[in-house]
Amino acid sequence: MRNVKVMTGIVSILIGLILVSIPFYHEWKTGKEIDRLTQAVNLISNEASAQVMKEEFEYAKDVIWLEIPDIDLNQMVLPETTEYNLNVGLTQIKPNQIPGEGNFTIAGHRGYRGDRFFRNLPDVAIGATVRLIADNKTYTYEITSSQIIEPTQTDILLDEEGKNEITLITCTVDGHKRIALKGLLIT
């Protein structure tokens, strides 16, 4: 009977260790992909050495950078929302968006830990500055609202005539709702 209890305890500990290690493995794997993508973006700006990486990451040439100084965020925004792209960075929700025109929409996972992705997005205050950098031009937005919405509330992504804004979206901690920040273009 004692041997059964010992074996049950050992198995329980092993299962616990495996379950605890899964997020760390995922974080490590995602970090490697982000490093690889960042390297591709950097190489694309160097014409002589870019060709090999450019073929592998053709979309990397269209990367836009998002800066939110209040939460020390400086990350690339990939041009298309796919499962793979969401696992390695922030993504544009609508295709063919142009910074400074209409409602520029960005999605991102909260991430497991650290400051990657939109983990700290809920901490961005009304009035905070958000910058998009594309083609060596900076577009500055001021956050005007922060709200929790249902995943089905997609009207928040629509363009409003004559209004140039940004919408940043991530999940709530439990994943059932979304946190949406909106900002107006100021420069």
Side-chain angles (χ1 to χ4, degrees), residues 64 92 97-99 101-106 132 141 165-167:
I64 294 173
Q92 295 182 42
Q97 298 182 108
I98 299 172
E101 294 182 16
N103 185 7
F104 197 92
T105 59
I106 300 174
L132 282 180
Y141 299 84
E165 59 188 348
I166 192 166
T167 302

Side-chain angles (χ1 to χ4, degrees), residues 158-183:
L158 300 175
D159 290 347
E160 258 185 72
E161 189 161 337
K163 199 172 192 181
N164 297 320
E165 59 188 348
I166 192 166
T167 302
L168 310 172
I169 295 181
T170 193
C171 294
T172 56
V173 174
D174 65 10
H176 292 111
K177 295 191 178 191
R178 305 292 178 261
I179 297 167
L181 273 63
K182 288 190 95 47

Side-chain angles (χ1 to χ4, degrees), residues 38-59:
T38 302
Q39 180 184 14
V41 169
N42 291 335
L43 285 174
I44 283 174
S45 64
N46 179 356
E47 290 295 325
S49 61
Q51 195 56 39
V52 172
M53 291 299 277
K54 194 171 186 177
E55 290 170 8
E56 185 174 353
F57 291 109
E58 181 59 31
Y59 62 84

Side-chain angles (χ1 to χ4, degrees), residues 62-65 99 132-139:
D62 298 323
V63 167
I64 294 173
W65 290 89
L132 282 180
I133 297 112
D135 297 324
N136 295 319
K137 184 167 176 20
T138 301
Y139 303 85

Side-chain angles (χ1 to χ4, degrees), residues 74-140:
N74 183 8
Q75 292 191 21
M76 65 185 89
V77 180
L78 301 173
E80 181 181 10
T81 298
T82 65
E83 188 175 331
Y84 173 80
N85 285 355
L86 276 171
N87 284 329
V88 297
L90 305 175
T91 65
Q92 295 182 42
I93 299 172
K94 299 184 298 189
N96 304 314
Q97 298 182 108
I98 299 172
E101 294 182 16
N103 185 7
F104 197 92
T105 59
I106 300 174
H109 286 308
R110 286 185 73 111
Y112 286 111
R113 56 190 176 91
D115 60 354
R116 272 197 286 169
F117 307 128
F118 275 167
R119 179 177 179 84
N120 297 320
L121 190 65
D123 299 335
V124 177
I126 304 297
T129 299
V130 171
R131 291 187 287 270
L132 282 180
I133 297 112
D135 297 324
N136 295 319
K137 184 167 176 20
T138 301
Y139 303 85
T140 304

